[in-house]
Amino acid sequence: MPAQAAGTLAGTTISNTASASFDNGSGNQTINSNTVDMRVDEVLDVVVADQATDVPTTPGATNQVLTYRVTNTGNGPEAFALGTIANVGGDDYDPVVAQIYIDANNNGTYDAGTDTLYVAGSESALQPDATMTVFVLATTPGSVADGNRGIVTLVAAAKTGTGAPGTAFAGLGEGGGDAIVGSTGADGQDNGNFLVSAATVSLVKSATIVDPFGGSEPVPGAIITYTITATVAGSGSVSGLAINDNIPADTAYVAGSITLGGSPLTDAADADAGDFNGTRIHIGLGTVAGGQTRTVTFRTRIN
Ligand SMILES: [Ca+2]
Ligand SMILES: [Ca+2]
Ligand SMILES: [Ca+2]
Ligand SMILES: [Ca+2]
């Protein structure tokens, strides 16, 4: 629903005086009527709009920000009480709302330490046709899954009062006139959406053997080639992914045998992703997006 023009400001006096002109034989004359003054009442209206795009989040993340705009579409200054509803249906989980903030520096972005914590009961008036940006900070439960959606509804309600359109609050309008509930009911709400972007890692290990006799028996002197495949699934990514594997007892690591994606890595801890420190191999894979796999191999010899 678009913001509407506030119209004539509440408290404005509309004055009207009629005049009459005539000639009664002694020339043209003009007379004025009495003046009718009318004070414009205050109409209470508000529109809430969320930013209309899904806000990505991850399981367990704190201080996740939803952004809304609250516009005073009435014709007088009015303060609006703010509240949230976090358990609405139509989604997959309930975000845990922590706080509401007002965009104090009007840059449309939540700035910790700069923007103003909303405290119920201490609202300041919003001028007619003015908009304030409101941020809802929430925690995403750790139990959510990739692709889950969580909704938080922001509600704004005129402090003077709400109700059916046309409801009058005598004498409570700007300038001492009445306050009249407008077409919005003097309250409004809209849904902000979180969308969980997560990733999971699965790890599969297999081994092949080449024995000294050209067969595949696990006898002393046989070479074991281990293959480790890490598969990342989901719409998100994982960071700091690393594969570690201790060299099994009764075997000896075959020097220089680490490969990643088929390319050899050195045993030294150097610029490439892999190293062998005497007891284990390590391959640092960093950030890996969902849908990708990483395959590592190394060899040991049975003592
Ligand atoms: Ca007001
Ligand atoms: Ca919910
Ligand atoms: Ca800000
Ligand atoms: Ca290396």
Side-chain angles (χ1 to χ4, degrees), residues 102-112 114-115 135:
I102 310 296
D103 189 13
N105 59 353
N106 287 314
N107 66 349
T109 302
Y110 170 66
D111 301 297
T114 297
D115 291 332
F135 306 109

Side-chain angles (χ1 to χ4, degrees), residues 42 44 72 76-79 160 172-174 179:
E42 180 172 352
L44 304 170
N72 178 359
E78 180 67 18
T160 299
L172 296 184
E174 179 71 8

Side-chain angles (χ1 to χ4, degrees), residues 86-89 91-95 149-151:
N87 63 349
V88 288
D91 61 359
D92 305 300
Y93 72 95
D94 294 342
R149 190 177 297 273
I151 294 173

